[in-house]
Amino acid sequence: MMENLKTRKIILAIALSLVLAGCKAPMATVVRDTVKENLPQNFNQEGQQDANANSGTTPWRQFFTDPNLVSLIETALKNNQELLITLQEIEIAKSGVLYKKGKLSPTVAAKLGAGVNKAGRYTSEGAGDATTDIEPGKEMPDPLGNFEGGLMANWEIDIWKKLRTEKEAAVAHYLSTVEGKNFVLSNLIEEVADSYYELLALDNQLDIMQQYIKLQERALEISKIQKQTAAATELAVKKFEAELAKSKASAYTIRQEITEKENGINVLLGRYPQPIVRMKESFMSTIPQTFYTGIPSQLLANRPDIKQAELELKSSKLDVEAARKEFYPSLEISATLGLEAFKPSYLVKMPESIAYNLVGELAGPLINKSAIKANFQTADAKQLQSLYEYDKTVLNAYLDVANLMSKVKNIDQYYQLKAEETHALDQSIDIANQLFKNSRADYLEVLLNQRDALDAKMELIEAKQKQLSTVVDIYKSLGGGWK
């Protein structure tokens, strides 16, 4: 007896050693975030930025002052389909957290069953049933029925904290979807504002083109009068007619662009085409909002895409940890408790009809671990992928702000020079028209001056639109728009 007990202990020790030896887990790749560590202190080399002044923390309702634009943004935030899709992604991630959390608790199920079994007479089971009397004078029924009802429970004991790690990974992924929603908000507000300013620019360009058409009509009338007095030729008349037709064609092109831009805004607002309420008269006198950049390290806290990438990196690291713990043994406890009998009337007889079962299993992978290894290697690769994605997001965020800061400065200078060019060409048009009336200048000089003035005014309007849109872009790049 003692020898048998000793033999069992030796066998148990050998089996346990084999399980532990077979459960050796590989090491995950150690990642280091060098891009974040080397983030510059400032956006440029011209001096220090004020850490206490950052437009990225300004709520969008305070940053945008045009009431028509504010109304459009409010509608977009309620109806935009991409935003609504993103909100459902958050719900999906939230359900993932609940699923992982549920795996930490025992699974309990109710069970009801009925069946019949006919064992062969010359089998151990059949012979045993045939010689068993439940009550005096009553033989065991044949075939033998089975009726049961009770509770079943199963619970994986989280001895290596694998399930808790999976839950933490799901929580990090859920939080990243929330930041993803914030990034969609920020992009949506930027897109609505940029499209709104582009629409106002097109309105003003159409007004300029219509003024140019009237100017061409007057020049054509003058050329016809001068032809009658032999002060001009038929060539001058045809040139002015051609220029007038070209200008009218350009006006129709701008009208089509206005229609498409209005419809584009309506798509962002999640509605069918309808007029966009706006005030085009004050567009050229609109002063761009003042912005403050703060310091680069604030991007890590302000920009939702950086926070989203950071949380995805955290989630992927936890996924690697959970995948590594798959190599360790798992401990599962299963139990059943209920009533069981071969006749329904016997179910109420207790304690004879009471049946229960309690089993604990410790199991670990020994051979053919390719699936577990593949899962670990996939998680490890995704961890590196998430790191590179995070580094790319941080680097692009810094470059976005640095480029836009330079663009704001240069576009302001460009706008000032275009304004001077437009003013000078307006004066040259008046001079050329006066000289043409007095036959001291030919039609080519008038046409060239008018074309140059038109181009300069169109470019001035585009410069104003870029000036306003660039400030919106830098506001979004600093992490503004979602608060």
Side-chain angles (χ1 to χ4, degrees):
M1 185 69 179
M2 292 296 294
E3 290 182 359
N4 290 339
L5 181 60
K6 188 175 181 180
T7 303
R8 289 178 183 176
K9 288 182 178 181
I10 293 173
I11 294 174
L12 181 62
I14 293 173
L16 185 59
S17 299
L18 287 173
V19 170
L20 294 176
C23 297
K24 184 179 180 181
M27 297 301 295
T29 304
V30 179
V31 298
R32 183 180 176 187
D33 188 8
T34 56
V35 171
K36 181 179 177 180
E37 292 174 358
N38 298 325
L39 187 66
Q41 298 296 316
N42 302 293
F43 286 110
N44 53 44
Q45 304 300 322
E46 297 179 2
Q48 299 287 331
Q49 272 92 31
D50 185 1
N52 296 321
N54 191 318
S55 296
T57 60
T58 304
W60 68 267
R61 292 179 184 274
Q62 298 178 18
F63 189 79
F64 297 105
T65 57
D66 187 330
N68 293 321
L69 176 56
V70 170
S71 177
L72 293 174
I73 293 174
E74 288 177 342
T75 304
L77 296 182
K78 294 177 182 177
N79 302 331
N80 181 262
Q81 279 80 15
E82 184 178 355
L83 179 58
L84 295 176
I85 291 171
T86 304
L87 292 177
Q88 295 310 306
E89 291 178 357
I90 293 176
E91 293 301 317
I92 293 171
K94 186 187 296 184
S95 299
V97 174
L98 294 176
Y99 172 74
K100 296 297 183 181
K101 183 180 178 181
K103 292 180 69 175
L104 287 166
S105 303
T107 301
V108 180
K111 177 183 177 182
L112 288 175
V116 64
N117 181 48
K118 174 67 173 71
R121 177 66 180 82
Y122 301 110
T123 63
S124 59
E125 183 181 354
D129 292 343
T131 57
T132 301
D133 292 333
I134 301 302
E135 294 180 8
K138 291 185 179 180
E139 297 182 354
M140 182 75 71
D142 189 24
L144 189 65
N146 185 62
F147 301 90
E148 60 181 344
L151 298 176
M152 302 172 58
N154 189 69
W155 188 19
E156 181 180 352
I157 307 299
D158 196 18
I159 54 178
W160 309 111
K161 296 186 177 180
K162 181 191 72 173
L163 300 179
R164 289 181 177 84
T165 303
E166 290 178 348
K167 190 194 86 167
E168 290 174 7
V171 170
H173 176 65
Y174 162 71
L175 294 176
S176 76
T177 61
V178 174
E179 295 299 338
K181 181 264 297 183
N182 292 337
F183 188 56
V184 171
L185 282 175
S186 186
N187 282 335
L188 177 60
I189 291 173
E190 177 199 32
E191 197 168 355
V192 171
D194 284 346
S195 298
Y196 179 74
Y197 290 137
E198 289 171 8
L199 181 59
L200 292 178
L202 289 171
D203 287 338
N204 281 263
Q205 286 182 336
L206 181 60
D207 289 344
I208 293 296
M209 185 59 69
Q210 289 173 339
Q211 294 173 14
Y212 183 67
I213 289 173
K214 292 179 180 179
L215 188 65
Q216 290 300 312
E217 288 174 343
R218 288 197 297 269
L220 177 61
E221 291 173 3
I222 293 172
S223 66
K224 289 180 178 179
I225 293 173
Q226 289 187 336
K227 178 193 171 186
Q228 293 174 355
T229 60
T233 63
E234 180 69 14
L235 180 59
V237 174
K238 294 303 179 183
K239 282 288 186 181
F240 280 114
E241 286 179 348
E243 187 70 16
L244 179 60
K246 178 182 176 182
S247 301
K248 288 182 178 180
S250 297
Y252 282 109
T253 300
I254 296 175
R255 287 190 179 95
Q256 177 61 26
E257 291 177 356
I258 289 174
T259 299
E260 293 178 0
K261 186 59 64 176
E262 281 188 312
N263 290 341
I265 293 176
N266 281 313
V267 168
L268 293 175
L269 271 56
R271 66 189 188 187
Y272 287 104
Q274 57 183 275
I276 301 298
V277 179
R278 56 195 185 271
M279 291 292 292
K280 63 180 180 179
E281 293 79 13
S282 60
F283 175 71
M284 294 303 294
S285 60
T286 302
I287 300 175
Q289 299 94 325
T290 303
F291 69 89
Y292 304 95
T293 60
I295 57 178
S297 60
Q298 292 175 331
L299 292 176
L300 304 178
N302 291 343
R303 280 191 53 142
D305 58 332
I306 293 180
K307 291 192 286 184
Q308 180 185 18
E310 184 177 18
L311 287 165
E312 284 295 343
L313 176 58
K314 178 181 177 181
S315 177
S316 65
K317 288 181 178 179
L318 291 169
D319 284 337
V320 173
E321 187 178 343
R324 186 171 182 270
K325 291 174 181 178
E326 290 286 351
F327 289 90
Y328 300 152
S330 61
L331 175 60
E332 291 192 7
I333 297 176
S334 58
T336 58
L337 175 63
L339 303 175
E340 187 175 15
F342 62 83
K343 284 180 64 176
S345 59
Y346 288 154
L347 288 173
V348 296
K349 292 187 176 183
M350 301 201 193
E352 290 83 0
S353 62
I354 295 178
Y356 60 85
N357 181 43
L358 180 63
V359 178
E361 293 183 348
L362 180 65
L366 287 178
I367 58 175
N368 194 17
K369 297 184 289 185
S370 58
I372 300 176
K373 290 180 179 177
N375 183 50
F376 172 78
Q377 291 169 356
T378 299
D380 195 41
K382 286 184 177 180
Q383 174 191 218
L384 293 174
Q385 192 178 48
S386 297
L387 173 65
Y388 301 145
E389 186 68 31
Y390 176 73
D391 287 344
K392 183 182 75 172
T393 305
V394 173
L395 182 60
N396 287 341
Y398 176 87
L399 293 177
D400 282 347
V401 177
N403 290 338
L404 288 169
M405 286 176 63
S406 175
K407 186 176 180 180
V408 167
K409 183 187 299 183
N410 291 328
I411 200 69
D412 287 344
Q413 296 295 325
Y414 177 82
Y415 179 81
Q416 295 299 326
L417 293 173
K418 278 296 174 183
E420 294 177 11
E421 178 188 2
T422 301
H423 180 68
L425 288 172
D426 278 341
Q427 292 178 330
S428 70
I429 287 177
D430 294 336
I431 296 171
N433 287 338
Q434 192 63 37
L435 291 174
F436 182 63
K437 288 179 182 179
N438 297 327
S439 300
R440 295 177 60 188
D442 61 24
Y443 66 91
L444 288 176
E445 292 178 288
V446 175
L447 279 175
L448 289 174
N449 273 281
Q450 290 176 347
R451 286 177 183 175
D452 290 343
L454 175 65
D455 291 341
K457 289 179 180 178
M458 290 294 194
E459 290 171 356
L460 181 65
I461 293 172
E462 289 180 0
K464 172 58 70 174
Q465 178 262 315
K466 290 180 180 178
Q467 195 180 41
L468 296 172
S469 293
T470 301
V471 174
V472 174
D473 294 343
I474 199 170
Y475 172 63
K476 176 252 180 180
S477 295
L478 291 170
W482 60 272
K483 295 184 179 180

